[in-house]
Amino acid sequence: MKKNILIVPGDGIGQEVTAVGKKVLDRIAGKFGHEFVYDEALIGHVAIEATGNPLPDESLQKMKASDAVLFGAVGHPRYDNDPSAKVRPEQGLLKMRKELGLYANIRPIKLFDELLGASSIKPEILKGADIMFFRELTGDIYFGEKGRKNNGDTAYDLAEYSRYEVERIARKAFEAARTRRKKLCSVDKANVLETSRLWREVVQKIAPEYPDVEVEHQFVDATAMLLIKDPRRFDVVVTANLFGDILTDEASQIAGSMGMLASASVGDGTGVYEPIHGSAHDITGKGIANPLASILSAALLLDISFGMKAESEKVIGAVDKVLKAGFRTGDIADTHTPSGKVLNTDAMGEQVLKFLE
Ligand code: IPM
Ligand code: MG
């Protein structure tokens, strides 16, 4: 198959990890007789530096024209400490999600057995945990009207959801649950928020169309607690944009490290695949970032956007073998890891390529 893949590294370690993800895609193309054609585009702080715009039109056009996007991260500490900055790297990411209609952010939380010891949660609580989050990605408080009033002394962010927006993400989650353990947990704050009451109403309304899926509703605060107390009780979780942002960072600890988690953002057009970790400027340039989330994002890309199931499984299998062989990056190493097995970004990439053979 011939496919056009756009590499969008963005900021910080995004550059380092997508370079490795791309190598893995390339090796897969060679092994399976595909032709992957690559292009690159700017987003985030690097795009602001080059053009003044966190998502230049040229980047957006390239995204729309490609078959899939392998994305890195956006962000720069300069803006985090300057709340008055009008142009920010994250605006590029949000605009990309909106413009490409990426309303469903799929974040699989799966623990590789070898990493049981890397989490701060007890192994006996974690073993076997396997959760798939569906985070709504183009609505909620992220995209509602925001502003200041009272001479700037009061600020507001409006959270809004339409029936249509809730229904389309809920249906994706129901369908995924059907292919898994047939359990869906819908997370909201319906005891307080009107958007959450609409959310719950919509999920309840369509639930009878999926009689094989067992549905429960949980409040977001209780979910935050249950994820740590008993992660195995969850199968598919569907939730709003902000709750999903927070809960998936929390859930990353179930997988041992943020450095392990991949995500797929899909919807109307080109799919975007990215690690859930950010730009991590504290380790940028040191060459020590964990590339496995980007590699696993490449695996999701192959599966979801290209329908290449065998190719995707090959990548996941290689990651599994690398971990079984004892190799770790610093973030997933523990006190028992021999120092010779702690690898930097490129060396970890090389090991994955080796185990692809
Ligand atoms: C994520 C990130 C983004 C978000 C930031 C960088 C805007 O945290 O993808 O989870 O909040 O969605
Ligand atoms: Mg986040």
Side-chain angles (χ1 to χ4, degrees):
M1 250 192 259
K2 183 174 175 183
K3 295 285 181 190
N4 296 306
I5 301 175
L6 187 67
I7 310 287
V8 185
D11 301 323
I13 61 166
Q15 303 275 343
E16 300 161 38
V17 298
T18 48
V20 180
K22 181 185 170 191
K23 277 191 197 161
V24 168
L25 285 170
D26 225 29
R27 183 64 59 92
I28 287 289
K31 284 193 80 69
F32 287 82
H34 301 303
E35 187 187 345
F36 292 165
V37 181
Y38 306 95
D39 197 357
E40 272 214 22
L42 295 175
I43 195 169
H45 172 69
V46 291
I48 298 173
E49 293 284 282
T51 69
N53 183 344
L55 181 61
D57 274 345
E58 190 196 340
S59 296
L60 190 57
Q61 291 322 317
K62 282 184 176 180
M63 288 169 180
K64 287 185 175 164
S66 67
D67 294 311
V69 173
L70 186 71
F71 181 79
V74 295
H76 194 279
R78 179 188 303 172
Y79 309 87
D80 300 341
N81 299 319
D82 177 11
S84 69
K86 288 272 171 297
V87 180
R88 314 180 67 87
E90 291 79 5
Q91 291 162 345
L93 178 61
L94 298 185
K95 186 169 173 203
M96 173 183 80
R97 290 173 178 170
K98 199 69 171 180
E99 291 278 335
L100 296 181
L102 303 171
Y103 64 85
N105 182 220
I106 306 167
R107 297 185 163 184
I109 313 280
K110 198 171 155 49
L111 176 73
F112 287 89
D113 276 347
E114 296 70 36
L115 296 184
L116 264 177
S119 173
S120 36
I121 307 173
K122 289 191 204 112
E124 62 269 28
I125 302 284
L126 281 183
K127 200 166 167 37
D130 179 0
I131 310 174
M132 186 172 272
F133 272 88
F134 279 76
R135 168 190 175 194
E136 200 289 329
L137 203 60
T138 52
D140 202 4
I141 196 166
Y142 271 65
F143 289 95
E145 191 191 324
K146 45 187 87 244
R148 297 276 177 120
K149 53 188 184 184
N150 297 333
N151 295 321
D153 289 338
T154 304
Y156 57 89
D157 298 275
L158 180 66
E160 252 184 318
Y161 266 122
S162 69
R163 241 175 240 289
Y164 168 73
E165 287 172 312
V166 179
E167 185 170 330
R168 63 182 177 174
I169 181 81
R171 285 194 186 278
K172 278 219 182 290
F174 269 111
E175 272 148 31
R178 278 198 157 152
T179 68
R180 294 172 46 100
R181 303 195 306 278
K182 301 186 172 41
K183 281 179 61 178
L184 178 66
C185 178
S186 172
V187 176
D188 61 34
K189 187 74 188 172
N191 48 349
V192 177
L193 302 177
E194 198 56 37
T195 41
S196 282
R197 286 191 275 271
L198 177 73
W199 184 281
R200 196 173 281 218
E201 188 185 312
V202 171
V203 174
Q204 281 171 342
K205 182 151 180 261
I206 64 173
E209 293 176 46
Y210 306 87
D212 47 330
V213 177
E214 179 197 326
V215 186
E216 70 163 340
H217 299 270
Q218 287 288 351
F219 295 135
V220 62
D221 47 354
T223 307
M225 179 271 294
L226 288 169
L227 275 172
I228 302 298
K229 188 180 174 210
D230 184 15
R232 276 176 302 213
R233 72 188 298 293
F234 295 102
D235 178 17
V236 177
V237 177
V238 64
T239 192
N241 202 344
L242 182 63
F243 298 156
D245 178 46
I246 299 166
L247 291 177
T248 52
D249 264 29
E250 183 192 354
S252 72
Q253 287 312 300
I254 295 167
S257 165
M258 291 262 283
M260 292 302 299
L261 289 190
S263 88
S265 300
V266 298
D268 304 327
T270 312
V272 174
Y273 300 84
E274 61 178 297
I276 89 153
H277 65 67
S279 49
H281 281 268
D282 51 332
I283 58 164
T284 297
K286 296 188 179 159
I288 57 170
N290 184 347
L292 294 178
S294 183
I295 292 171
L296 292 169
S297 298
L300 282 177
L301 181 157
L302 292 166
D303 180 9
I304 299 176
S305 273
F306 298 169
M308 298 177 179
K309 194 103 205 145
E311 289 84 335
S312 175
E313 276 164 9
K314 184 97 192 156
V315 174
I316 297 169
V319 170
D320 198 32
K321 285 182 194 144
V322 167
L323 295 173
K324 283 213 166 74
F327 295 109
R328 302 284 185 269
T329 41
D331 59 311
I332 49 173
D334 59 28
T335 45
H336 308 294
T337 313
S339 59
K341 295 272 183 178
V342 182
L343 305 180
N344 64 22
T345 310
D346 287 338
M348 182 53 111
E350 288 308 314
Q351 285 301 331
V352 174
L353 292 177
K354 215 165 99 190
F355 281 100
L356 277 176
E357 294 312 322

